[in-house]
Amino acid sequence: MPDVTKALASDIFSGRYPAGSSLPTENDLGVEYGVSRTVIREALKVLAAKGLVLSRPRIGTVVCDQDNWNIIDPQVLAWHAPHALDDKLFDAILETRRAIEPLVAELAATRATLQEIADLEMAWQGMAGAGEDLTQFSRSDIAFHQIVYGASHNPIFRQIGKLIDTALLFSLEATATISPVRRMEAAVAHGEVVEALRMRDAVAARNAANKILDLAARDLTSAKKLKNN
């Protein structure tokens, strides 16, 4: 069923089934994907729970407007191909991070445990030592932000951090091909967060987080230009 659900979601994202349109019947979808009506029905339930479709009596299953999609749901993001994500979504992710991460870093500077600081340094070292390994760089970067959100010891921020993990991963993948020099600049800025937490300097932590976000904005702008050329 996960493959069928993903395939249906991809057809919605691609515009094959635009907002307001009706999906084929369960029988027709079953024939197309080679599965039973039961599998199709369960896949549609998953899509409905994520705001992509709505079942209407005597009409069938209708594709919802994009405003109703749960776009920060990890599965919804994962069903997109990174290159297919709208630029506006990347902008929205960055705006959300700008609103939250400086405060999260500031709180972490005063609340992080010694173990969390050690874990953060390990994640930073993974970034700094990644070289040309984009997978290691991205994985370490994701881990870094997870640790910072957790180190805020604010349960709401912890949950928000989990929600944006996948969104952040897609943002990183979109900008990962930016030059190694820029990745090293990002690693240096992340190192400043580590040092701020070690020194329990909340102001320095906020400033370092803002620096990371400024670099992310620059790289996102460059990635958009490459995409549109």
Side-chain angles (χ1 to χ4, degrees), residues 1-17 22-44 47 53 63:
M1 187 181 68
D3 290 340
V4 175
T5 307
K6 180 179 180 180
L8 284 168
S10 296
D11 285 340
I12 292 172
F13 298 148
S14 69
R16 180 184 177 189
Y17 300 123
S22 295
L23 295 181
T25 65
E26 291 176 0
N27 279 335
D28 289 342
L29 289 172
V31 171
E32 179 176 351
Y33 293 106
V35 296
S36 68
R37 285 184 61 191
T38 300
V39 171
I40 293 296
R41 194 173 296 118
E42 291 302 313
L44 293 176
L47 296 180
V53 300
V63 178

Side-chain angles (χ1 to χ4, degrees), residues 5 41-55 61-62 64 68 79:
T5 307
R41 194 173 296 118
E42 291 302 313
L44 293 176
K45 286 181 181 179
V46 173
L47 296 180
K50 298 180 186 299
L52 272 65
V53 300
L54 179 67
S55 180
T61 302
V62 178
C64 295
N68 294 320
W79 289 335

Side-chain angles (χ1 to χ4, degrees), residues 121-188:
E121 183 168 12
M122 184 176 297
W124 167 68
Q125 288 175 346
M127 294 177 64
E132 298 294 327
D133 190 337
L134 298 180
T135 299
Q136 178 181 323
F137 183 89
S138 295
R139 185 182 296 118
S140 299
D141 200 352
I142 291 292
F144 186 98
H145 290 278
Q146 288 175 335
I147 295 164
V148 173
Y149 271 90
S152 73
H153 291 270
N154 178 308
I156 305 300
F157 284 153
R158 283 179 188 265
Q159 290 299 314
I160 292 174
K162 291 177 182 178
L163 285 174
I164 71 168
D165 276 351
T166 305
L168 178 57
L169 176 59
F170 274 87
S171 296
L172 291 172
E173 289 179 347
T175 59
T177 55
I178 300 301
S179 72
V181 172
R182 290 194 175 186
R183 289 199 299 276
M184 185 53 62
E185 288 175 353
V188 170

